[in-house]
């Protein structure tokens, strides 16, 4: 049987990884072992098993590696190491908050039952006593890998659920609830910082006619392309959401009224300057946009509902005045209308 001696005198050679097999992100392992020959043996085996290997000779270096971004999720630790032993390393790993679990196998020449218990209580997931059979090591590692793969699948499923809960399934934009939450947060932040804040309500002109004439599949294609053009036309830190049907809500943090008008005109041209290619042919599509904003340093408090109401009023005005245009809500004009 192929066993690792507790103090090997020769280096194992001839065990080379298959270079055609690329390790997956989870196929990474940290080996912490102070004996250089023993470390090389382990390194050779794990490379043969298609793992990306990070090998260090003491516990302090191992702890430094484990604190880096995308550190290996599988760790093979020797019990006795300079700087920091495997037991202390296990305790630190378990004492640190992290998003994903790290599977730890402890290696040692100690075989007393109390030592085994001490290692597991320190946070090790598995324990191998030197010398051990290489096939047993591989079987233990496979068991740990199954746990890590299951964790990765669960994290992926959780991320997908979180994305679905906050995004529109057709366009991939923030859904109505999520974009309103973002607006509320920006309004709250603005009340503390007195920064400028702009909001745009955008609506696709005559969209019902597109659906009625060409069908909902063509309508969906139009929505998707309008979404693409809108997201290209905003800044990275602006937020675009599907407010409902063919209507979009766009939040512009730190944007003055003058810059908001410039941004809105840019979006109008992004959508309207080129027809959209669909299965029904090229369709001209335009946007009407209603704007609402507060300036930097403006002391008057504007809540989320007021922003929406003002932007909606401006959008209504854009529709009334011929569509394919930008209208800014002006409190002075609104007050004048109220006094008529």
């Amino acid at each position: 049987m192929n066993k690792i001696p507790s103090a090997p005198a020769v280096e194992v050679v001839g065990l080379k990884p298959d270079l055609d097999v690329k390790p997956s992100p989870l196929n990474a392992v940290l080996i912490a072992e102070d004996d250089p020959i023993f470390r090389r043996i382990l390194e050779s085996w794990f490379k043969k098993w298609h793992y990306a290997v990070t090998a260090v000779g003491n516990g302090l270096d191992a702890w430094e590696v484990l604190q880096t971004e995308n550190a290996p999720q599988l760790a093979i630790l020797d019990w006795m190491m300079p700087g920091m032993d495997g037991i202390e390393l296990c305790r630190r790993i378990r004492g640190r908050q992290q998003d994903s679990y790290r599977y730890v196998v402890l290696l040692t020449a100690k075989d007393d039952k109390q030592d085994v218990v001490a290692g597991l209580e320190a946070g090790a997931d598995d324990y191998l006593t030197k010398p051990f059979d290489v096939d047993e090591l591989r079987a233990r590692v496979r068991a740990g890998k199954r746990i890590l793969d299951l964790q990765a699948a669960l994290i992926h499923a959780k991320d997908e659920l979180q994305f679905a809960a906050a995004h529109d399934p057709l366009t991939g934009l923030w859904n109505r609830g999520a974009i309103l939450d973002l607006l509320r947060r920006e309004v709250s932040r603005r009340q503390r910082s007195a920064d400028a804040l702009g909001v745009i309500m955008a609506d696709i002109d005559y969209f019902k006619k597109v659906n009625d004439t060409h069908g909902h599949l063509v309508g969906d294609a139009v929505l998707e392309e309008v979404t693409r053009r809108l997201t290209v036309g905003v800044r990275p830190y602006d937020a675009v959401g599907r407010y409902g049907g063919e209507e979009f809500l766009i939040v512009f943090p730190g944007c003055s009224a003058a810059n908001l008008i410039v941004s809105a005109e840019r979006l109008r041209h992004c959508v309207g300057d080129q027809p959209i290619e669909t299965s029904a042919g090229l369709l001209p599509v335009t946007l009407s946009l209603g704007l609402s904003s507060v300036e930097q340093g403006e002391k008057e408090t504007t809540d989320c509902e007021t922003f929406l109401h003002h932007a909606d009023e401006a959008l209504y005005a854009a529709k009334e005045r011929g569509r394919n245009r930008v209208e800014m809500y002006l409190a002075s004009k609104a007050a004048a209308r109220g006094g008529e």
Side-chain angles (χ1 to χ4, degrees), residues 190 193-197 256 294-298:
R190 192 264 158 192
S193 66
D195 288 341
L197 177 61
S256 66
V294 290
E295 296 297 291
Q296 184 174 10
E298 190 174 313

Side-chain angles (χ1 to χ4, degrees), residues 161-283:
L161 287 172
Q162 288 178 335
F163 184 90
H167 290 79
D168 175 63
L170 174 65
T171 63
L173 295 174
W174 297 110
N175 61 26
R176 183 187 179 99
I179 192 65
L180 288 176
D181 283 342
L182 284 167
L183 176 57
R184 290 187 187 98
R185 287 203 291 271
E186 286 301 328
V187 168
S188 177
R189 187 183 66 81
R190 192 264 158 192
Q191 290 170 352
R192 297 191 302 271
S193 66
D195 288 341
L197 177 61
V199 171
I200 293 178
M201 196 81 79
D203 189 83
I204 301 175
D205 296 325
Y206 302 111
F207 184 72
K208 185 177 185 299
K209 185 177 179 180
V210 174
N211 278 332
D212 291 345
T213 304
H214 304 290
H216 288 281
L217 290 179
V218 172
D220 287 350
V222 168
L223 279 169
E224 289 178 294
E225 178 58 17
V226 169
T227 292
R228 188 192 69 78
R229 296 182 186 188
L230 287 176
T231 53
V232 167
V234 299
R235 303 169 301 181
Y237 45 88
D238 299 328
V240 184
R242 188 178 178 190
Y243 192 64
E246 67 275 21
E247 202 166 32
F248 302 88
L249 178 62
I250 313 170
V251 182
F252 288 81
C255 190
S256 66
N259 288 331
L260 189 63
I261 292 171
V262 172
S263 297
E265 287 290 356
R266 182 175 64 248
L267 294 177
R268 187 175 68 84
H269 284 288
C270 281
V271 172
D273 283 359
Q274 295 293 331
I276 293 176
E277 186 175 349
T278 72
S279 59
L282 292 173
L283 298 180

Side-chain angles (χ1 to χ4, degrees), residues 7-292:
V10 295
E11 181 176 354
V12 174
V13 296
L15 293 177
K16 296 182 179 179
D18 184 349
L19 298 178
D20 293 330
V21 179
K22 295 181 180 180
S24 70
L26 283 175
N27 272 22
V29 61
L30 168 66
I31 297 171
E33 166 61 54
D34 63 329
D35 187 304
I37 297 178
F38 194 179
R39 187 168 64 249
R40 290 289 301 276
I41 292 173
L42 291 171
E43 215 176 326
S44 297
W45 284 350
F46 275 96
K47 285 181 178 178
K48 181 185 177 184
W49 301 335
H50 314 305
Y51 279 82
V53 179
T54 301
V56 297
N58 63 76
L60 290 175
D61 287 346
W63 177 239
E64 186 175 339
V65 169
L66 290 171
Q67 293 182 88
T68 61
E69 188 177 0
N70 298 322
Q73 290 181 265
L74 174 64
I76 310 298
L77 309 180
D78 187 27
W79 182 311
M80 302 299 294
M81 288 186 293
M84 183 189 306
D85 63 26
I87 292 292
E88 177 60 26
L89 198 49
C90 282
R91 291 195 184 102
R92 289 200 182 188
I93 291 171
R94 298 305 175 220
R96 185 187 179 200
Q97 281 191 335
Q98 49 196 7
D99 294 333
S100 56
Y101 189 76
R102 187 156 284 119
Y103 194 90
V104 178
V105 179
L106 202 58
L107 306 180
T108 181
K110 298 172 180 281
D111 58 0
D112 187 82
K113 190 173 183 178
Q114 289 183 341
D115 294 326
V116 174
V117 171
L120 296 176
E121 285 186 343
D125 297 285
D126 208 344
Y127 188 103
L128 277 172
T129 304
K130 305 173 187 177
F132 51 79
D133 181 71
V134 64
D135 292 328
E136 182 181 5
L137 172 63
R138 190 175 189 184
R140 302 285 185 94
V141 167
R142 280 175 171 170
K145 181 66 166 52
R146 285 196 295 271
I147 291 173
L148 295 177
D149 287 342
L150 176 59
Q151 173 191 244
L154 291 172
I155 290 173
H156 179 70
K158 178 186 174 184
D159 290 343
E160 285 191 332
L161 287 172
Q162 288 178 335
F163 184 90
H167 290 79
D168 175 63
L170 174 65
T171 63
L173 295 174
W174 297 110
N175 61 26
R176 183 187 179 99
I179 192 65
L180 288 176
D181 283 342
L182 284 167
L183 176 57
R184 290 187 187 98
R185 287 203 291 271
E186 286 301 328
V187 168
S188 177
R189 187 183 66 81
R190 192 264 158 192
Q191 290 170 352
R192 297 191 302 271
S193 66
D195 288 341
L197 177 61
V199 171
I200 293 178
M201 196 81 79
D203 189 83
I204 301 175
D205 296 325
Y206 302 111
F207 184 72
K208 185 177 185 299
K209 185 177 179 180
V210 174
N211 278 332
D212 291 345
T213 304
H214 304 290
H216 288 281
L217 290 179
V218 172
D220 287 350
V222 168
L223 279 169
E224 289 178 294
E225 178 58 17
V226 169
T227 292
R228 188 192 69 78
R229 296 182 186 188
L230 287 176
T231 53
V232 167
V234 299
R235 303 169 301 181
Y237 45 88
D238 299 328
V240 184
R242 188 178 178 190
Y243 192 64
E246 67 275 21
E247 202 166 32
F248 302 88
L249 178 62
I250 313 170
V251 182
F252 288 81
C255 190
S256 66
N259 288 331
L260 189 63
I261 292 171
V262 172
S263 297
E265 287 290 356
R266 182 175 64 248
L267 294 177
R268 187 175 68 84
H269 284 288
C270 281
V271 172
D273 283 359
Q274 295 293 331
I276 293 176
E277 186 175 349
T278 72
S279 59
L282 292 173
L283 298 180
V285 175
T286 60
L287 279 184
S288 295
L289 303 100
L291 286 55
S292 174

Side-chain angles (χ1 to χ4, degrees), residues 311-327:
D312 199 49
E313 277 201 16
L315 176 61
Y316 180 79
K319 295 283 189 181
E320 285 289 297
R321 295 170 185 170
R323 293 179 164 83
N324 188 23
R325 59 185 293 124
V326 171
E327 289 288 342

